[in-house]
Amino acid sequence: MVTLETLNFDNSFSRLPDVFYSAVKPQPLKGARLVHFSPDAARLIDLPEAELLRPAFVDYLNGENPLPGAYPLSQVYAGHQFGHYVPQLGDGRAILLGEVINQQGERWDLQLKGAGLTPYSRMGDGRAVLRSTIREYLCSEAMAGLGIPTTRALCLLHSEEPVWREQLESAALLLRLSPTHIRFGHFEFFCHSGQHEALRQLTDYVIKTHFPALEGNDTPYLALFRWVVEKTAVLMADWMAIGWTHGVMNTDNMSILGLTIDYGPYAFMDEYHPDFIPNHSDTEGRYAYKMQPWIGQWNLGRLAAALTPLVPVEALKEALGGYEKIYWEAYTIKMLAKLGLSQATSGVTELITSLLTILHEHRVDYTVFFRQLCHFQPGGMNAAITSLFQDPARIDGWLADYTRVLEESGEPIGQAQARMKRVNPKYILRNHMAQQAIEQAEQGSFKEVERLHQLLQTPFDEQPGCESYAEPSPDWAKRIVISCSS
Ligand code: AMP
Ligand code: MG
């Protein structure tokens, strides 16, 4: 049985030359205590629950004692933030404890977020507040529950240490898991600082560690870029189809593995609105919902630019040129699946576009609509669907078209709807739900964190007694303001 002391560390990143990172030590938070953990995430590194409940677990994470086998370090990277290049960022408050190889041979970075100052903290304090930590903790596990590629969150520590943001808050610590935390910004840092040999080493490292199959490839760097283009395009399609907006798609928040990473002012959309901007500080709407596929492509362009010392420009351009097609195909397939259709027959693209126009015009809740559609009865009254519209007649025409397409597909409706319930979640993490969990946590109760964590693990299942969580957001939720402050 694996214990905290016998985790199977293989700290490959620490074996890179020291231009890639700085060795650091987590700085203990006063009165840190474990307030929540995810047994599901702990299983990824083979840790039994009993190990997480040992007092030693908090001591190791909080830097009171060194975790045996770990090699704590902070990584250096750069990034384009809101379109502008920042030559050096790096883990300003994150510490990679090390990489654990689990019994399936999978590699998992164990990264602390909020563990204190690092050489990359710039003006920051190295800390993370409880509010933003709960948001990341719950949403990364919610995304995993939805089947969307994401970093994972193993546990949440809370402390009494005060942290100043717009007001006084308390500090928290998150243990994040990911096969790697390498971002587009890592490549930008080594390219634009002229360290091209290090850029090659980094790219070789990523290929050797995460894409061994590419090692024999004639053009491994180009093949890696193609892979990232594809994964990023598909991730954007995932976000768009589920109705989720990241909020801060800077290139330092783009995972080289195409995972959702760095949960800040994100949001699941309530009413369908393409211009939706979750981040109060994003006044221009650069990272609005509808912009995400294009920003994903723009960010890949920045990654391509960073790879030009290794790959001919024309080849990178050609690979990036494939992005739009991959995105649209992935998005269309996902949207068709939401409608219970498995084939793109003629007219279905129009069916999707016209539906989105109607949902937008009538300010209909995106998630609630698609979930109700799973119960659609051709020829029936369908009051649960039509009552979502001020003018039910407006959706009648669309439902008639939809009925025709369903009939043409020839698939029994019950079968299609069973599939629809696997892609149209009943439960999502709406901002006000996270907000209520945060407010209770700030008062010392983590019961709501637990409830949401549990609920969002199986977001497609009917969960008796939890129906109130499946309702559209209350009006007061519209007044919640989420900014970059974390
Ligand atoms: P984020 O907006 O969280 O993706 O962070 C952007 C950059 O700022 C990264 O380099 C972070 O490590 C750094 N950063 C954010 N918050 C803090 C903080 N409180 N202390 C130090 N660095 C921070
Ligand atoms: Mg970040």
Side-chain angles (χ1 to χ4, degrees):
M1 193 190 77
V2 174
T3 65
L4 295 170
E5 291 75 16
T6 59
L7 283 166
N8 184 22
F9 276 107
D10 173 47
N11 303 325
S12 65
F13 197 88
S14 76
R15 294 195 288 272
L16 288 170
D18 52 15
V19 289
F20 290 95
Y21 64 85
S22 299
V24 289
K25 282 202 177 77
Q27 290 140 40
L29 280 167
K30 227 181 294 159
R33 61 190 185 98
L34 180 68
V35 288
H36 206 266
F37 62 85
S38 162
D40 205 33
R43 268 192 291 278
L44 298 173
I45 53 167
D46 307 319
L47 261 189
E49 268 185 60
E51 287 299 294
L52 307 181
L53 295 170
R54 286 174 50 202
F57 182 55
V58 171
D59 291 347
Y60 288 139
L61 296 190
N62 194 34
E64 318 263 7
N65 290 318
L67 176 61
Y71 184 114
L73 61 86
S74 290
Q75 302 179 337
V76 66
Y77 52 82
H80 276 83
Q81 298 194 313
F82 289 88
H84 303 285
Y85 187 60
V86 183
Q88 197 202 293
L89 292 163
D91 292 330
R93 54 174 166 170
I95 295 181
L96 173 62
L97 288 173
E99 302 151 51
V100 167
I101 312 248
N102 70 13
Q103 281 159 6
Q104 278 78 53
E106 296 163 346
R107 179 177 298 271
W108 289 97
D109 271 11
L110 268 57
Q111 196 201 56
L112 294 171
K113 193 162 172 183
L117 292 172
T118 80
Y120 315 111
S121 297
R122 300 179 296 154
M123 308 295 280
D125 57 7
R127 295 304 186 192
V129 297
L130 181 63
R131 164 179 53 83
S132 68
T133 308
I134 289 178
R135 282 177 53 85
E136 170 147 12
Y137 183 71
L138 289 177
C139 200
S140 43
E141 292 310 281
M143 292 295 253
L146 291 167
I148 297 178
T150 178
T151 60
R152 301 293 303 267
L154 197 153
C155 69
L156 183 61
L157 268 59
H158 184 209
S159 95
E160 60 202 38
E161 202 158 308
V163 178
W164 184 257
R165 292 294 180 262
E166 282 82 13
Q167 55 188 17
L168 212 55
E169 301 191 41
S170 55
L173 195 61
L174 179 78
L175 182 60
R176 181 158 74 175
L177 302 183
S178 178
T180 180
H181 285 81
I182 294 179
R183 303 141 191 273
F184 291 8
H186 279 76
F187 296 84
E188 294 182 280
F189 177 80
F190 291 101
C191 173
H192 303 311
S193 62
Q195 301 180 71
H196 293 176
E197 212 24 64
L199 174 70
R200 184 179 297 276
Q201 262 178 316
L202 174 72
T203 316
D204 286 339
Y205 167 79
V206 169
I207 290 172
K208 180 165 184 274
T209 317
H210 299 285
F211 303 92
L214 297 185
E215 275 191 296
N217 197 291
D218 290 343
T219 52
Y221 303 140
L222 177 61
L224 172 66
F225 181 66
R226 274 190 203 290
W227 190 93
V228 184
V229 168
E230 180 176 335
K231 292 296 164 190
T232 305
V234 174
L235 182 69
M236 293 307 111
D238 273 325
W239 291 358
M240 297 303 282
I242 209 79
W244 190 81
T245 311
H246 182 284
V248 197
M249 286 179 66
N250 293 333
T251 55
D252 51 299
N253 291 341
M254 296 291 292
S255 151
I256 197 67
L257 299 184
L259 307 173
T260 312
I261 190 171
D262 278 8
Y263 291 82
Y266 66 80
F268 284 90
M269 239 179 345
D270 293 315
E271 295 160 1
Y272 180 75
H273 196 336
D275 294 318
F276 173 66
I277 306 166
N279 178 2
H280 187 68
S281 329
D282 182 12
T283 46
E284 306 278 300
R286 179 180 174 86
Y287 299 136
Y289 168 75
K290 70 173 181 196
M291 295 296 288
Q292 299 188 114
W294 316 118
I295 293 288
Q297 186 179 34
W298 191 87
N299 288 345
L300 284 161
R302 306 290 67 74
L303 177 63
L307 292 174
T308 50
L310 307 180
V311 186
V313 174
E314 286 312 314
L316 289 164
K317 271 192 189 158
E318 190 267 328
L320 185 55
Y323 176 91
E324 274 184 49
K325 183 164 182 283
I326 301 170
Y327 169 75
W328 280 115
E329 277 179 9
Y331 177 72
T332 307
I333 288 169
K334 288 173 201 294
M335 292 308 288
L336 286 178
K338 287 174 84 67
L339 297 177
L341 304 168
S342 42
Q343 270 182 357
T345 48
S346 74
V348 290
T349 322
E350 291 75 13
L351 197 67
I352 297 170
T353 335
S354 62
L355 174 61
L356 293 180
T357 308
I358 299 169
L359 294 182
H360 182 205
E361 279 170 10
H362 292 260
R363 301 171 168 270
V364 175
D365 189 279
Y366 185 75
T367 305
V368 170
F369 176 83
F370 279 103
R371 187 69 185 191
Q372 291 297 0
L373 197 65
C374 303
H375 305 280
F376 174 63
Q377 292 296 324
M381 291 298 286
N382 295 300
I385 298 173
T386 54
S387 64
L388 298 172
F389 297 79
Q390 290 137 1
D391 172 11
R394 190 65 180 88
I395 193 70
D396 284 348
W398 185 86
L399 288 174
D401 291 342
Y402 178 52
T403 305
R404 236 182 342 265
V405 174
L406 278 178
E407 280 167 5
E408 277 164 22
S409 81
E411 191 184 10
I413 182 113
Q415 205 173 299
Q417 292 182 342
R419 271 191 292 109
M420 286 167 78
K421 286 189 195 153
R422 308 312 308 162
V423 291
N424 293 313
K426 175 146 185 172
Y427 304 102
I428 52 168
L429 181 65
R430 296 179 191 267
N431 265 343
H432 76 281
M433 290 160 60
Q435 190 61 28
Q436 280 170 327
I438 290 165
E439 282 168 19
Q440 290 190 20
E442 284 170 344
Q443 300 303 314
S445 164
F446 286 83
K447 282 208 185 100
E448 194 59 18
V449 169
E450 163 60 18
R451 198 168 293 137
L452 294 181
H453 189 269
Q454 187 71 29
L455 179 81
L456 297 167
Q457 273 181 4
T458 52
F460 300 109
D461 292 355
E462 299 289 339
Q463 299 186 42
C466 295
E467 286 74 14
S468 64
Y469 289 104
E471 285 170 8
S473 295
D475 279 345
W476 66 264
K478 296 199 174 76
R479 293 190 292 276
I480 298 173
V481 172
I482 309 287
S483 72
C484 276
S485 155
S486 59

